[in-house]
Amino acid sequence: MHIIHHKKELTGLLKERKKPGDIVGFVPTMGALHQGHLSLIHQAKREADLVVVSIFVNPTQFDNSSDLEKYPRGLPQDKAFLEEADDDIILFAPQTEEIYGSDPKTETFDFGPVATVMEGASRKGHFDGVGTVLKHLFEIIAPDKAFFGEKDYQQLLIVKRLVELLNLPIEVVGCPIDRQKNGLARSSRNKRLTAEQQEEAAFIYQSLQKARSSFHKSTPQEIRAAIEQDFKDNPHFKLDYFEIANADNLQKVVAFDSNKKYRAFIAAGIGEVRLIDNIALN
Ligand code: AMP
């Protein structure tokens, strides 16, 4: 496995390794790698000739400095995890200065209505930070395909919009959510949960499944009210939002239309940890 910290070294290596017609696949991550990241890397390996995985905890996408500080980090463990999984990967792990210089600045983007709801409403500036770092990384790596998890479904739509806005020749590929046995979506943040909290956190996926099974029987308002009540009754969780939205534009749904695709979304806190998850309803 190639481990690279500097962008010049990375562009040099890609130039050397990329043959005419080769597809460069890119999997951006913030590290603390787990099986969910690996499912993206496997998909990238199937669809690309060269795969670059980045590990970079991007300061500009955190609206809360304590969340940034507490974000789990461990490059040595991540390297070992990747090496064991697949050693034919190019790992790019830059320092903050390598991406931003001495002063990380956030660019603003016109992502439209997909950016103003849910995570966009709860975490001010978050998606501009995501857009800023990806703009830098896309420029350095120039991938043909970039792989993102449906775990962060709103982010996936934002990245599609970013690529459109910047007019980049990159195909953005959405990958399915990888879950623990109990249904909890894998996340780097799960490392901050106790074993007991990991079990309690299965409640998020159970709620999403309940929403899906109510889809044909209830109105969006009825489903929202039932799930919100379930969270009120659960002493372990503080619900940030439960939303049912159109899967294409993330706008809140008042009445279901059989021709459209819908998803349910949850953000909730357990202890000090904020978790997000979502599910396709049809
Ligand atoms: P992160 O390191 O949390 O920024 O995630 C990096 C990429 O991995 C993002 O595209 C995430 O959506 C994706 N990802 C994280 N967890 C999962 C999961 N459980 N299943 C699928 N994709 C995931």
Side-chain angles (χ1 to χ4, degrees):
M1 185 168 73
H2 287 274
I3 301 166
I4 290 180
H5 301 285
H6 300 285
K7 47 190 178 188
K8 272 206 179 125
E9 218 184 314
L10 178 61
T11 46
L13 180 74
L14 285 172
K15 219 171 165 185
E16 189 188 305
R17 296 250 326 248
K18 190 178 172 185
K19 298 189 290 296
D22 271 358
I23 290 184
V24 174
F26 175 38
V27 182
T29 83
M30 296 209 297
L33 299 177
H34 50 71
Q35 293 295 327
H37 294 116
L38 215 53
S39 67
L40 265 63
I41 294 170
H42 287 323
Q43 186 155 347
K45 296 276 299 189
R46 288 194 295 274
E47 296 190 26
D49 303 289
L50 291 169
V51 173
V52 180
V53 176
S54 66
I55 294 184
F56 180 65
V57 181
N58 172 37
T60 65
Q61 72 187 69
F62 287 82
D63 57 337
N64 174 329
S65 58
S66 111
D67 196 24
L68 171 61
E69 266 164 43
K70 284 186 189 148
Y71 199 84
R73 294 169 174 85
L75 195 56
Q77 294 94 302
D78 284 342
K79 281 181 192 165
F81 181 80
L82 278 181
E83 245 153 18
E84 194 175 319
D86 191 323
D87 66 357
D88 188 22
I89 282 170
I90 301 169
L91 171 61
F92 181 46
Q95 293 291 318
T96 305
E97 296 72 40
E98 189 70 11
I99 300 295
Y100 286 113
S102 56
D103 181 21
K105 281 211 171 63
T106 310
E107 226 180 286
T108 51
F109 298 92
D110 181 11
F111 292 128
V114 286
T116 54
V117 294
M118 297 189 286
E119 294 303 288
S122 287
R123 304 177 69 190
K124 287 278 167 249
H126 171 66
F127 288 127
D128 282 332
V130 170
T132 303
V133 74
L134 287 175
K135 186 176 166 186
H136 289 301
L137 291 170
F138 285 162
E139 202 174 295
I140 299 165
I141 296 158
D144 301 287
K145 291 188 173 196
F147 298 82
F148 291 85
E150 288 183 346
K151 157 80 168 49
D152 301 282
Y153 188 85
Q154 189 172 9
Q155 172 176 276
L156 170 64
L157 295 194
I158 294 278
V159 180
K160 287 186 174 168
R161 177 92 182 114
L162 177 76
V163 163
E164 248 173 53
L165 284 173
L166 301 176
N167 206 9
L168 297 172
I170 301 174
E171 182 188 339
V172 177
V173 181
C175 308
I177 302 175
D178 189 61
R179 300 181 178 281
Q180 295 183 183
K181 260 207 187 104
N182 70 353
L184 173 63
R186 290 188 206 278
S187 162
S188 305
R189 288 164 198 266
N190 296 358
K191 295 196 166 84
R192 293 173 52 205
L193 300 174
T194 63
E196 215 170 50
Q197 285 173 327
Q198 296 225 7
E199 281 316 305
E200 280 151 7
F203 180 68
I204 296 181
Y205 185 53
Q206 287 157 11
S207 304
L208 290 171
Q209 283 181 309
K210 179 172 168 177
R212 188 167 58 184
S213 62
S214 311
F215 176 69
H216 289 292
K217 297 172 249 170
S218 312
T219 65
Q221 287 80 340
E222 284 164 348
I223 301 175
R224 269 187 213 110
I227 302 289
E228 283 169 6
Q229 188 58 50
D230 289 350
F231 272 88
K232 277 188 191 140
D233 295 339
N234 184 320
H236 304 294
F237 278 99
K238 194 170 166 291
L239 183 65
D240 185 351
Y241 58 75
F242 170 77
E243 206 45 84
I244 295 176
N246 179 310
D248 296 322
N249 58 26
L250 299 188
Q251 298 313 289
K252 188 177 177 139
V253 176
V254 182
F256 290 125
D257 170 340
S258 57
N259 298 315
K260 296 197 171 128
K261 293 272 180 216
Y262 299 101
R263 290 185 91 93
F265 298 83
I266 287 180
I270 175 162
E272 298 274 286
V273 184
R274 183 175 183 276
L275 300 173
I276 61 169
D277 199 352
N278 70 89
I279 200 168
L281 295 180
N282 59 337

